[in-house]
Amino acid sequence: MERRHFIRWSGVALSSLLFNRWDAHTAPRESILPPARVMASLDTGWHELTLGGQGVYTYRDVTVRLKYQDAAVGVEVESPAQALHFIRLQWEQPLPPGASVLGDDWERTYGDAGFKPVAMERKMPWYFISHHESGDTCFGVKTGCNSLCYWQAGGSLLSLTMDMRSGGIGVMLGSRVMTAADIVVMNGRKEDSAFVTGRRFCALLCDTPQLAKAPVYGINDWYYAYGNNNPELILRQTRLMTELATSTTNRPFSLVDAGWALYSPLQPGSGAWMDDFSRPNEKFKDMGQLAADIRKSGMRAGLWMRPLCASYKDPANLLLPPIPGRDDPKSPVLDPSIAENLERVQHNISIYREWGYEMVKHDFSTYDIMGKWGFGMADDVTTPGWRFSDNSRTTAEIILALYRSIREAAGDIYLIGCNTLSHLSAGLFELNRVGDDTSGKEWARTRKMGVNTLGFRMIQHDLFYAADGDCVGLTKDVPWEKNKEWMQLVAGCGCPLFISAQPDILGAEQKATIRASFAQAARPLPVGEPLDWLTNMLPSRWKLNGQVRKFDWG
């Protein structure tokens, strides 16, 4: 490994952490130096591994190898006999004084993303950007990794922890040699803003994003119907909004949200229920006909579903065990480590293709697997102690297998991941819902979840997937002047625009704004840049298509 060019940053020595690798044919690439400590968490607790040679660390039969590649450092792990919980790499290196850091989130953001002071107790999933007045440095792991990774920084320490568990217990790798993660680091260029640096870095993390052929936009019934939908209402909205979509080459989608699937009794006479996502209920009857009617109305048909819903008839050995958050008998959950269950998920997706749907939004899988929403994962992503049927694979591997099964069954159907793990969604789904729900009832919720989300995840847009900041909920309960600005931001920043409009509140001004916003959303635009994101958790100054726009989020 060459260490000829060390980076110095305002007198703060990053030289013990980063170095540039040069050759005669390529630009310098940053890499990371060997850690001060490598530790493994087993059933018996945490143990420090001993450095041998050539980047090999061992504790008994547990081995960690650091493999320096062209643009990443691979972390290879072996543990043939012991249940492996975590691997942790630790560097004795403080970040620059006064630095602020932007970490990512496990799945969606929840209105609290932003540049924050360095704090060791805060876990930063997947990657983080360290910003200082003299420059930016980025640390992360490549997307599609086989472990759930988070960074911590504070005091004199920087650490990367790889969660190797299978559910809430240690994984049994057996004879397998696994690459847990590929580490990537990058220094910003002096001429680049932190936003440009963040996008350059995200491009390094995802080699092959799965992108739609054209920008995705359209309508959704959730934020005015909230599950109380029916074909007549959906078609009424579709026909009304079709008149406002002027593009002849890129038609919008009409996405049928929750409320269409069959409600089945959990136990006869119990009054409890679950959703069967292979069959429509009595309100909808014929989902193929609904898709055809949507097409005749001038839009493309999309459908919402929850992939891991089980039936009360399913035997217990096909289900995940109950844990807090996943112990409601009305909501049994399929174990995604079982091949038969993945085949069921694929079967449902194939049915939607036969019905004529061109986009599927799949939801709830992180909550259904982990028993937690992202905002509850600060201490741990799940409850310790439970296991999948197959505990020879890590949670990350099992979730990736689920996502890949959905991708395979979908074929050319566009996929929207919702409540999916961001770093594992990248490269598999065309769109990802990057923030928690906006609202058709409360402007404060849309401002918190929508504006904050776009402000801090636009750096991922079209580099991991199309970043979906969720709907514009146009109802009588949300002030039009606020929703108008939210719609104009979403349409102008180049990300997917979905409007959920109560049909009977659309006047001339609303229709004119929707028409203009649809026209923008139908064509490729430069990625919108939040200009005040370093200091404002609700960015109000944006660069949109070359013009600076100031918003009043109120």
Side-chain angles (χ1 to χ4, degrees):
M1 296 183 300
E2 294 183 346
R3 305 187 184 187
R4 289 165 21 201
H5 182 75
F6 287 86
I7 300 168
R8 298 188 180 279
W9 195 7
S10 290
V12 179
L14 286 176
S15 59
S16 62
L17 191 59
L18 299 176
F19 70 96
N20 281 338
R21 301 166 66 195
W22 296 80
D23 63 41
H25 305 289
T26 65
R29 295 180 182 270
E30 289 88 6
S31 190
I32 198 163
L33 289 182
R37 280 174 296 280
V38 175
M39 293 172 284
S41 173
L42 311 171
D43 286 347
T44 53
W46 282 96
H47 304 276
E48 186 167 350
L49 280 65
T50 302
L51 175 61
Q54 301 297 315
V56 179
Y57 300 78
T58 58
Y59 171 79
R60 296 185 179 177
D61 63 344
V62 177
T63 302
V64 174
R65 295 183 184 86
L66 301 185
K67 293 202 162 184
Y68 286 80
Q69 304 152 9
D70 183 43
V73 179
V75 182
E76 250 184 25
V77 179
E78 292 181 69
S79 183
Q82 304 207 55
L84 183 58
H85 295 248
F86 300 92
I87 294 293
R88 178 171 291 159
L89 311 183
Q90 202 167 70
W91 294 265
E92 293 181 349
Q93 180 62 56
L95 296 181
S100 60
V101 292
L102 172 66
D104 199 22
D105 282 80
W106 289 115
E107 40 115 8
R108 301 176 290 193
T109 63
Y110 287 87
D112 59 354
F115 282 89
K116 300 175 183 178
V118 175
M120 191 67 186
E121 64 271 15
R122 185 170 62 249
K123 297 175 180 178
M124 298 178 285
W126 312 121
Y127 68 77
F128 76 96
I129 301 169
S130 171
H131 173 74
H132 184 258
E133 62 183 5
S134 298
D136 303 297
T137 305
C138 307
F139 302 83
V141 296
K142 285 207 164 193
T143 58
C145 48
N146 292 317
S147 62
L148 306 180
C149 301
Y150 63 86
W151 296 84
Q152 291 172 284
S156 62
L157 295 178
L158 172 72
S159 72
L160 169 65
T161 302
M162 289 154 277
D163 187 340
M164 305 291 295
R165 291 175 299 175
S166 184
I169 66 172
V171 68
M172 297 299 299
L173 292 177
S175 60
R176 288 202 297 145
V177 179
M178 179 210 282
T179 298
D182 291 305
I183 304 170
V184 180
V185 297
M186 189 196 81
N187 276 309
R189 300 179 297 212
K190 288 184 178 180
E191 65 270 22
D192 288 342
S193 67
F195 185 81
V196 171
T197 295
R199 285 190 57 78
R200 285 183 55 230
F201 187 59
C202 285
L204 294 179
L205 298 185
C206 184
D207 293 330
T208 53
Q210 178 87 19
L211 300 179
K213 295 177 181 177
V216 173
Y217 70 108
I219 63 175
N220 177 301
D221 61 80
W222 179 254
Y223 289 113
Y224 67 87
Y226 283 99
N228 189 24
N229 55 1
N230 59 66
E232 293 74 23
L233 182 65
I234 290 166
L235 290 172
R236 178 187 172 196
Q237 188 201 36
T238 301
R239 291 167 185 143
L240 175 64
M241 301 289 272
T242 292
E243 298 175 2
L244 307 178
T246 56
S247 173
T248 58
T249 57
N250 182 22
R251 296 304 296 162
F253 285 86
S254 176
L255 191 143
V256 180
D257 215 294
W260 67 268
L262 180 68
Y263 300 136
S264 300
L266 188 64
Q267 295 175 349
S270 70
W273 57 269
M274 49 75 65
D275 284 312
D276 179 351
F277 284 98
S278 66
R279 293 182 290 170
N281 57 43
E282 280 300 310
K283 284 193 303 179
F284 282 82
K285 295 181 181 178
D286 189 337
M287 296 302 290
Q289 185 61 53
L290 179 57
D293 289 342
I294 288 172
R295 286 194 299 275
K296 290 177 186 176
S297 299
M299 291 197 182
R300 305 160 73 185
L303 194 63
W304 179 96
M305 61 92 68
R306 186 170 179 171
L308 293 178
C309 272
S311 164
Y312 70 92
K313 298 178 181 179
D314 288 320
N317 63 359
L318 290 181
L319 305 179
L320 287 173
I323 59 172
R326 195 177 67 225
D327 52 5
D328 184 352
K330 293 188 294 185
S331 301
V333 176
L334 296 173
D335 183 337
S337 75
I338 299 173
E340 179 182 340
N341 290 338
L342 296 187
E343 291 169 4
R344 185 189 303 189
V345 174
Q346 289 189 307
H347 172 69
N348 288 351
I349 300 293
S350 67
I351 288 175
Y352 309 151
R353 293 183 67 185
E354 292 174 6
W355 287 344
Y357 288 87
E358 299 180 60
M359 180 168 64
V360 170
K361 181 178 184 177
H362 59 96
D363 200 353
F364 278 87
S365 59
T366 298
Y367 179 81
D368 284 343
I369 293 170
M370 304 295 205
K372 292 185 178 184
W373 303 107
F375 61 79
M377 295 178 176
D379 295 325
D380 198 345
V381 294
T382 192
T383 300
W386 68 275
R387 57 163 289 171
F388 292 102
S389 174
D390 175 8
N391 77 320
S392 70
R393 291 180 292 157
T394 67
T395 299
E397 289 181 292
I398 290 167
I399 291 175
L400 274 171
L402 170 65
Y403 293 176
R404 288 167 178 158
S405 295
I406 293 172
R407 174 76 270 161
E408 179 183 17
D412 58 0
I413 289 177
Y414 288 170
L415 292 172
I416 307 178
C418 189
N419 187 228
T420 53
L421 291 176
S422 171
H423 235 54
L424 305 188
S425 302
L428 291 173
F429 309 143
E430 285 84 1
L431 289 79
N432 193 44
R433 258 282 304 280
V434 289
D436 195 16
D437 291 6
T438 55
S439 180
K441 298 179 179 180
E442 305 172 57
W443 165 245
R445 183 176 181 89
T446 296
R447 178 181 59 199
K448 177 181 179 181
M449 301 302 179
V451 176
N452 178 265
T453 289
L454 287 191
F456 296 95
R457 275 193 154 170
M458 284 304 295
I459 58 172
Q460 301 170 354
H461 177 59
D462 280 353
L463 298 174
F464 288 3
Y465 35 60
D468 174 13
D470 204 15
C471 297
V472 180
L474 295 181
T475 70
K476 61 181 177 57
D477 297 320
V478 181
W480 161 244
E481 62 272 14
K482 297 303 180 187
N483 258 336
K484 179 180 180 180
E485 291 205 311
W486 170 233
M487 187 192 307
Q488 290 173 334
L489 172 60
V490 177
C493 72
C495 64
L497 170 67
F498 288 99
I499 297 174
S500 189
Q502 191 173 331
D504 55 1
I505 69 152
L506 298 184
E509 182 182 359
Q510 286 81 6
K511 290 181 179 180
T513 304
I514 292 170
R515 184 179 289 108
S517 296
F518 273 172
Q520 279 189 298
R523 67 181 192 271
L525 290 174
V527 174
E529 179 178 354
L531 299 176
D532 56 346
W533 73 322
L534 292 171
T535 57
N536 188 355
M537 291 181 66
L538 296 173
S540 59
R541 292 182 64 251
W542 286 76
K543 186 177 181 180
L544 303 178
N545 199 18
Q547 303 295 315
V548 175
R549 171 77 186 271
K550 180 74 168 62
F551 294 92
D552 178 10
W553 302 124

